[in-house]
Coordinates of all heavy atoms in Angstrom, one line a residue:
D377 N 130.8 94.1 163.8 CA 131.5 95.2 163.2 C 130.7 96.4 163.1 O 131.0 97.4 162.4 CB 131.9 94.7 161.7 CG 130.7 94.3 160.9 OD1 129.6 94.2 161.5 OD2 130.9 94.1 159.7
R378 N 129.5 96.5 163.8 CA 128.7 97.7 163.7 C 127.8 97.8 164.9 O 127.5 96.8 165.6 CB 127.8 97.7 162.4 CG 126.8 96.6 162.3 CD 126.1 96.7 160.9 NE 125.1 95.5 160.8 CZ 123.9 95.6 161.2 NH1 123.4 96.8 161.7 NH2 123.0 94.6 161.1
L379 N 127.3 99.0 165.0 CA 126.4 99.4 166.2 C 125.3 100.2 165.6 O 125.5 101.1 164.9 CB 127.2 100.2 167.3 CG 126.4 100.7 168.4 CD1 126.0 99.5 169.3 CD2 127.3 101.7 169.2
A380 N 124.0 100.0 166.0 CA 122.9 100.7 165.5 C 121.9 101.0 166.6 O 121.8 100.1 167.6 CB 122.2 100.0 164.4
T381 N 121.2 102.2 166.6 CA 120.3 102.6 167.6 C 119.0 102.8 166.9 O 118.9 103.6 166.0 CB 120.7 103.8 168.3 OG1 122.0 103.6 169.0 CG2 119.7 104.2 169.4
V382 N 117.9 102.2 167.4 CA 116.6 102.3 166.9 C 115.6 102.8 168.0 O 115.6 102.1 169.1 CB 116.0 101.0 166.3 CG1 114.6 101.1 165.7 CG2 117.0 100.5 165.3
V383 N 114.9 103.9 167.8 CA 114.0 104.5 168.8 C 112.6 104.5 168.1 O 112.4 105.1 167.1 CB 114.4 105.9 169.2 CG1 113.5 106.4 170.2 CG2 115.9 105.9 169.7
N384 N 111.6 103.8 168.8 CA 110.3 103.7 168.3 C 110.2 103.3 166.9 O 109.4 103.8 166.1 CB 109.6 105.1 168.6 CG 109.3 105.4 170.0 OD1 109.3 104.5 170.9 ND2 109.2 106.7 170.3
G385 N 111.1 102.3 166.5 CA 111.0 101.8 165.2 C 111.8 102.5 164.1 O 111.8 102.2 163.0
N386 N 112.4 103.7 164.5 CA 113.1 104.6 163.6 C 114.6 104.4 163.8 O 115.1 104.5 164.9 CB 112.7 106.0 163.7 CG 111.2 106.2 163.3 OD1 110.9 105.9 162.2 ND2 110.5 106.8 164.2
L387 N 115.4 104.2 162.8 CA 116.8 104.1 162.8 C 117.4 105.5 163.1 O 117.3 106.5 162.3 CB 117.4 103.6 161.6 CG 119.0 103.5 161.5 CD1 119.4 102.4 162.6 CD2 119.4 103.1 160.1
M388 N 118.0 105.7 164.3 CA 118.5 107.0 164.7 C 119.9 107.2 164.4 O 120.4 108.3 164.2 CB 118.3 107.2 166.2 CG 116.9 107.0 166.7 SD 115.7 108.1 165.9 CE 116.3 109.7 166.6
G389 N 120.7 106.1 164.3 CA 122.0 106.2 163.9 C 122.7 104.9 163.9 O 122.2 103.9 164.5
S390 N 123.8 104.7 163.1 CA 124.6 103.5 163.1 C 126.0 103.9 162.8 O 126.4 105.0 162.3 CB 124.1 102.6 162.0 OG 124.3 103.2 160.7
A391 N 127.0 103.0 163.2 CA 128.4 103.3 163.0 C 129.1 102.0 162.9 O 128.7 100.9 163.5 CB 128.9 104.0 164.3
S392 N 130.2 102.0 162.1 CA 131.1 100.9 162.0 C 132.0 100.8 163.2 O 132.5 101.9 163.7 CB 131.9 100.9 160.7 OG 131.0 100.9 159.6
L393 N 132.3 99.6 163.7 CA 133.2 99.5 164.8 C 134.6 99.1 164.3 O 134.7 98.2 163.5 CB 132.6 98.3 165.7 CG 131.3 98.6 166.3 CD1 130.8 97.3 167.2 CD2 131.2 99.8 167.2
K394 N 135.6 99.9 164.8 CA 136.9 99.6 164.4 C 137.6 98.4 165.1 O 138.6 97.9 164.8 CB 137.8 100.9 164.6 CG 137.3 102.0 163.7 CD 138.3 103.2 164.0 CE 137.8 104.4 163.0 NZ 138.7 105.6 163.2
I395 N 136.9 98.0 166.3 CA 137.3 96.9 167.0 C 136.1 95.9 167.1 O 135.0 96.3 167.0 CB 137.8 97.3 168.4 CG1 136.6 97.9 169.3 CG2 139.0 98.1 168.3 CD1 137.0 98.1 170.7
Q396 N 136.5 94.6 167.2 CA 135.5 93.6 167.4 C 135.2 93.4 168.9 O 136.1 93.1 169.6 CB 135.8 92.3 166.7 CG 135.9 92.4 165.2 CD 136.0 91.1 164.5 OE1 136.1 90.0 165.2 NE2 136.2 91.1 163.2
L397 N 133.9 93.5 169.3 CA 133.5 93.3 170.6 C 133.3 91.9 170.9 O 132.6 91.1 170.2 CB 132.3 94.1 171.0 CG 132.4 95.6 170.8 CD1 131.1 96.3 171.1 CD2 133.5 96.2 171.7
G398 N 134.0 91.3 171.9 CA 134.0 89.9 172.2 C 132.9 89.5 173.2 O 132.8 88.3 173.5
G399 N 132.2 90.4 173.7 CA 131.1 90.1 174.7 C 131.3 91.0 175.9 O 132.1 91.9 176.0
G400 N 130.4 90.7 176.9 CA 130.4 91.5 178.1 C 129.0 91.7 178.6 O 128.0 91.3 178.0

Side-chain angles (χ1 to χ4, degrees):
D377 58 352
R378 65 184 177 89
L379 175 70
T381 303
V382 180
V383 179
N384 290 336
N386 295 307
L387 179 66
M388 303 303 293
S390 62
S392 299
L393 299 178
K394 295 182 179 180
I395 60 173
Q396 291 189 2
L397 300 179

